[in-house]
């Protein structure tokens, strides 16, 4: 009995024991879970706080980027088709104020981590001075964020502006340069300095980047072929003065922001003033027709090869084979000196002077950039001034003004204002007529024959009805004529209804014995080597190749309705 009782007690004890043991395990498990949950909660909270901290820090860092204000704002510049010629980009400069640095060694260590593989000895040297210095200009966004994350009070940033020129050299003389204070110092950057800081929309130009590129490439090529010191070309609408291309070589890369002091980098289109030679004979003939004194078929008979002018001056014919009897038309086609002198003597000083002034040759031109040359003043009563001016000697002007003059005498006699800026064009009926009605029609016919029969045959590009006049002049150095040639072709096309004037000038050219000329008369004839160092064999050839390249673009892109 007692054994059984004991067994029962033991059994009950064991059950009680087991029950208590089970309860204790549940408590332990619950406590462990609660503890683990608590730990995870703490970790999660810390992680969340850290994320919020980093997020706010990043946001703060982003907000640290200064905004470009109107003070240093500058509008973009685009061509007539919307291509960017100048682009303004926001940027940041980062600098250090040494007196605010707490731990220089630590700062250098952090900078060394950011600027890997960079010698920081110069920065270390500057840190030992009290003067503020720029750590880096035009900082990339990622680098800027890394520097600001350092949290060093000595590091500060300021808004900056980058003026980018995507076309590099292509429009250097037109666009011009700015200084370190964001002020224009040349070209359009200077002339429209105030406007570029005020307008919200890009400044839109009349130029065409594609045409500019093609003309520049051809100029570079022929400058090399004929060993020219410099060259220039301008393409302009004869009816409204819009300039589609204006190239002067040598040029320069605007992105390098170099100071240009070499006079050879002058803008040869607008700033350089030249004696341009026989291209002025066109003005002499046009002046006589405008005065009603001559017609294209007016004859000048028995012309000498040399005539006396003044007390001690002789004027000679450039070609001994020049016929003695020529019409006005033939004088221009064959580029006769004596015939031109005989025409201008019929016109007289006052009338011819007035004509040249009317077409914009004599006075400084009003233009869209500041780099504009001033033609030399003329004493019309000195020696043989009237006679030499008849064939382009003793008178200077710019290539821009030459282009304007050719436009007026071929566009119906209407005055134009050359421009680089897209404007609301004046209505045709509001244009100012400055020449008589029949001048342009007669001059266009003669200029066309100069190309088909005369000295500019190499520019007779099939399908474009090119007309023009050559000019070969000797450059004047210290009032003495030198052997340096200024070779020019002033052309218009199409002559039936002119739309464009193209002037091409090559300066200080040389003969090329290896160059192959391909005649445009349909014969397939080729000539090796330039026979003479004249415009007819240099600038005319370059102009013909330029029209070959740009003609299809003009014919398709700028069709007039």
């Amino acid at each position: 009995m007692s054994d059984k009782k004991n067994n029962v007690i033991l059994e009950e004890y064991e059950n009680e024991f087991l029950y208590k043991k089970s309860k204790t395990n549940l408590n332990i498990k619950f406590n462990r879970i609660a503890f683990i949950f608590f730990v995870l909660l703490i970790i999660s909270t810390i992680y969340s706080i850290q994320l919020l901290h980093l997020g706010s820090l990043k946001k703060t860092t982003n907000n640290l980027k200064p905004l470009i204000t109107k003070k240093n704002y500058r509008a973009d510049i685009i061509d007539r088709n919307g291509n960017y010629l100048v682009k303004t980009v926001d940027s940041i400069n980062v600098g250090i104020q040494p007196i605010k640095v707490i731990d220089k060694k630590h700062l250098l260590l952090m900078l060394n981590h950011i600027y890997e593989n960079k010698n920081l000895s110069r920065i270390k040297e500057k840190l030992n001075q009290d003067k503020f210095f720029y750590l880096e200009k035009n900082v990339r966004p990622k680098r800027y964020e890394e520097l600001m994350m350092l949290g060093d009070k000595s590091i500060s940033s300021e808004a900056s502006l980058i003026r980018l020129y995507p076309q590099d050299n292509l429009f250097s003389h037109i666009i011009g340069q700015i200084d370190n204070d964001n002020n224009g110092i040349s070209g359009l950057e200077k002339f429209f300095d105030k406007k570029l800081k005020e307008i919200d929309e890009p400044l839109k130009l009349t130029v065409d980047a594609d045409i500019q590129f093609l003309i520049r490439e051809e100029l570079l090529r022929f400058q090399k072929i004929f060993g020219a010191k410099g060259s220039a070309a301008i393409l302009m609408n004869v009816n409204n003065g819009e300039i589609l291309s204006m190239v002067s070589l040598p040029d320069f890369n605007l992105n390098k922001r170099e100071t240009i002091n070499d006079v050879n980098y002058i803008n040869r289109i607008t700033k350089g003033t030249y004696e341009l030679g026989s291209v002025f004979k066109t003005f002499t003939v046009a002046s006589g027709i405008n005065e009603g004194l001559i017609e294209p078929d007016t004859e000048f008979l028995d012309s000498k090869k040399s005539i006396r002018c003044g007390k001690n001056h002789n004027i000679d014919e450039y070609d001994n084979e020049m016929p003695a009897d020529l019409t006005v038309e033939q004088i221009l086609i064959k580029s006769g000196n004596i015939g031109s002198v005989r025409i201008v003597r019929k016109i007289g000083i006052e009338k011819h002077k007035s004509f040249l002034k009317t077409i914009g040759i004599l006075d400084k031109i009003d233009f869209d950039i500041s780099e504009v040359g001033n033609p030399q003043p003329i004493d019309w009563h000195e020696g043989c001034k009237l006679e030499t001016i008849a064939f382009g000697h003793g008178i200077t002007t710019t290539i821009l003004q030459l282009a304007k003059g050719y436009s007026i005498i071929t566009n119906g006699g209407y005055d134009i204002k050359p421009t680089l800026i897209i404007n609301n064009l004046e209505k045709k009926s509001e244009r100012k007529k400055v020449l008589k009605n029949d001048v342009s029609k007669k001059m266009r016919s003669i200029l066309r024959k100069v190309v088909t029969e005369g000295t500019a045959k190499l520019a007779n590009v099939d399908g474009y009805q090119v007309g023009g006049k050559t000019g070969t002049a000797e450059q004047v150095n210290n009032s003495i004529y030198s052997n340096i040639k200024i070779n020019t072709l002033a052309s218009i096309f199409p002559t039936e209804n002119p739309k464009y004037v193209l002037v091409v000038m090559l300066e200080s050219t040389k003969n090329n014995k290896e160059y192959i000329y391909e005649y445009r008369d349909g014969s397939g004839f080729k000539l090796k080597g330039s026979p003479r160092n004249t415009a007819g064999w240099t600038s005319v050839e370059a102009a013909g190749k330029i029209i070959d390249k740009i003609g299809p673009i003009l014919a398709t892109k700028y069709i007039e309705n």
Side-chain angles (χ1 to χ4, degrees), residues 315-379:
I315 295 177
D316 300 320
E317 193 61 82
Y318 90 94
D319 184 0
N320 288 328
E321 302 299 320
M322 188 73 66
D325 301 334
L326 293 170
T327 64
V328 167
E329 181 179 81
Q330 291 170 334
I331 288 171
L332 194 58
I333 293 171
K334 295 181 179 296
S335 196
N337 289 344
I338 303 302
S340 299
V341 170
R342 294 183 67 179
I343 292 172
V344 85
R345 281 178 170 175
K346 287 178 67 72
I347 300 169
I349 289 177
E350 294 306 318
K351 289 180 179 178
H352 193 53
K353 177 182 176 181
S354 175
F355 177 84
L356 294 178
K357 191 177 184 69
T358 296
I359 63 173
I361 295 297
L362 299 182
D363 302 316
K364 186 176 181 179
I365 193 170
D366 179 22
F367 193 50
D368 299 326
I369 60 177
S370 301
E371 295 77 31
V372 175
N374 194 4
Q376 294 178 4
I378 299 171
D379 183 353

Side-chain angles (χ1 to χ4, degrees), residues 247-417:
V247 181
S248 178
L249 296 175
D251 51 25
F252 47 92
N253 190 336
L254 291 170
N255 289 301
K256 292 185 177 180
R257 290 168 173 77
E258 297 174 327
T259 301
I260 308 297
N261 294 319
D262 189 344
V263 70
N264 197 38
Y265 286 87
I266 189 175
N267 187 334
R268 284 170 163 79
I269 297 291
T270 65
K271 184 65 175 177
T273 56
Y274 304 93
E275 286 193 13
L276 295 169
S278 296
V279 290
F280 268 75
K281 293 173 182 175
T282 302
F283 299 146
T284 301
V285 173
S287 177
I289 293 175
N290 190 60
E291 292 297 331
L293 298 171
I294 58 173
E295 293 293 330
D297 59 358
T298 301
E299 292 183 318
F300 285 83
L301 306 177
D302 195 26
S303 293
K304 308 298 182 183
K305 297 295 184 294
S306 178
I307 59 174
R308 192 82 171 170
C309 181
K311 294 182 179 180
N312 302 308
H313 191 74
N314 287 336
I315 295 177
D316 300 320
E317 193 61 82
Y318 90 94
D319 184 0
N320 288 328
E321 302 299 320
M322 188 73 66
D325 301 334
L326 293 170
T327 64
V328 167
E329 181 179 81
Q330 291 170 334
I331 288 171
L332 194 58
I333 293 171
K334 295 181 179 296
S335 196
N337 289 344
I338 303 302
S340 299
V341 170
R342 294 183 67 179
I343 292 172
V344 85
R345 281 178 170 175
K346 287 178 67 72
I347 300 169
I349 289 177
E350 294 306 318
K351 289 180 179 178
H352 193 53
K353 177 182 176 181
S354 175
F355 177 84
L356 294 178
K357 191 177 184 69
T358 296
I359 63 173
I361 295 297
L362 299 182
D363 302 316
K364 186 176 181 179
I365 193 170
D366 179 22
F367 193 50
D368 299 326
I369 60 177
S370 301
E371 295 77 31
V372 175
N374 194 4
Q376 294 178 4
I378 299 171
D379 183 353
W380 287 84
H381 298 280
E382 177 190 4
C384 301
K385 188 62 70 175
L386 175 65
E387 287 81 357
T388 59
I389 285 175
F391 55 90
H393 283 236
I395 182 171
T396 65
T397 196
T398 65
I399 294 173
L400 176 64
Q401 290 169 275
L402 182 71
K404 176 180 178 176
Y406 268 74
S407 295
I408 294 173
I409 66 173
T410 58
N411 71 4
Y414 293 96
D415 192 18
I416 63 166
K417 184 181 185 305

